[in-house]
Amino acid sequence: MKLQLALDLVNIPEAIELVSEVQDSIDIVEIGTPIINSLGHEAVRAVKKAYPNLTVLADVKIMDAAGYEVQQASAAGADIVTILGAAEDSSIRGAVEAAKKEGKEILVDMIAVKDIETRAKELDQLGADYICVHTGYDLQAEGKDSFEDLRKIKSVVKNAKTAIAGGIKLETLPEVIKAQPDLVIVGGGITSKDDKKTAAQEIKALINKG
């Protein structure tokens, strides 16, 4: 089980500083959609340059022109690139093919997908590397979580790894671990803390216990 740190509400110097505090506890650093929307792939480029040995995920949430978008993110230094599960099958295929050519991986974000099981099966067959259940900010505000969706995906996929994101913190981590995803994505559960290093260490220790 790996730990991914999601960075959403920071600029490039803040991102580099934050990663320096927690890099020993994380496996993947995510350059979140709000950063990419604001600063473009320069943010991906800067973090990868600062931490070349760290796996970098570009959360571009591709919906169309997938091959091109994957190439752009890869050229900036992304090791993993995201596409939305709601995208057309042809877009998923294009993303997977482009990633394979570049030696990268694709994470499919299932945000807003209604029939989780059916789509997860299809994405597994289409060659997704990761399938991620994701409770977005708006649904978190309504008290929703992704644990049941994660269980559904794990019951149907044969090849893809599974991931979970959305409002995960130390207090909710035991339930996440019970569902045994391959990747746990934490944002505010680390970035909102005064002592980010300790928060990341505690979360990683719990994940390592499995």
Side-chain angles (χ1 to χ4, degrees):
M1 212 180 302
K2 290 184 176 179
L3 174 60
Q4 177 171 311
L5 172 69
L7 298 176
D8 284 325
L9 304 174
V10 291
N11 59 33
I12 292 172
E14 288 167 347
I16 289 170
E17 171 62 27
L18 206 158
V19 173
S20 75
E21 294 180 53
V22 303
Q23 61 177 316
D24 293 337
S25 298
I26 63 172
D27 302 291
I28 300 169
V29 59
E30 169 190 330
I31 310 303
T33 313
I35 300 178
I36 292 173
N37 283 345
S38 173
L39 302 170
H41 283 309
E42 185 51 41
V44 176
R45 203 170 283 111
V47 172
K48 189 63 179 180
K49 185 179 178 185
Y51 302 100
N53 296 322
L54 205 53
T55 299
V56 174
L57 177 143
D59 190 17
V60 285
K61 292 189 174 74
I62 296 166
M63 196 67 184
D64 190 29
Y68 171 78
E69 295 286 1
V70 169
Q71 285 169 2
Q72 293 298 299
S74 297
D79 303 290
I80 306 172
V81 184
T82 67
I83 187 168
L84 293 177
E88 299 287 356
D89 286 1
S90 57
S91 297
I92 304 285
R93 277 192 212 98
V96 168
E97 284 168 15
K100 279 193 175 137
K101 270 187 206 162
E102 303 285 343
K104 311 293 186 176
E105 291 185 304
I106 293 295
L107 181 145
V108 182
D109 187 331
M110 299 292 271
I111 195 167
V113 171
K114 300 302 180 196
D115 187 346
I116 290 276
E117 279 184 62
T118 300
R119 191 59 177 149
K121 270 189 206 169
E122 293 166 351
L123 293 164
D124 195 34
Q125 290 165 358
L126 288 165
D129 296 292
Y130 290 91
I131 300 173
C132 178
V133 292
H134 182 186
T135 305
Y137 286 114
D138 297 337
L139 282 185
Q140 285 175 47
E142 296 174 15
K144 303 278 175 60
D145 63 51
S146 301
F147 303 133
E148 185 52 40
D149 288 342
L150 177 60
R151 284 187 279 272
K152 283 180 188 171
I153 288 177
K154 282 192 72 74
S155 73
V156 297
V157 298
K158 294 186 172 140
N159 302 305
K161 297 183 278 279
T162 57
I164 184 167
I168 297 167
K169 45 191 181 286
L170 193 61
E171 296 76 24
T172 57
L173 198 55
E175 193 167 358
V176 173
I177 290 168
K178 258 190 242 171
Q180 288 291 296
D182 299 289
L183 179 60
V184 178
I185 302 171
V186 180
I190 292 171
T191 60
S192 68
K193 305 297 181 186
D194 292 331
D195 186 349
K196 296 169 181 57
K197 182 174 185 175
T198 299
Q201 285 173 338
E202 289 173 346
I203 287 171
K204 184 63 171 173
L206 210 48
I207 285 171
N208 285 346
K209 278 185 193 167

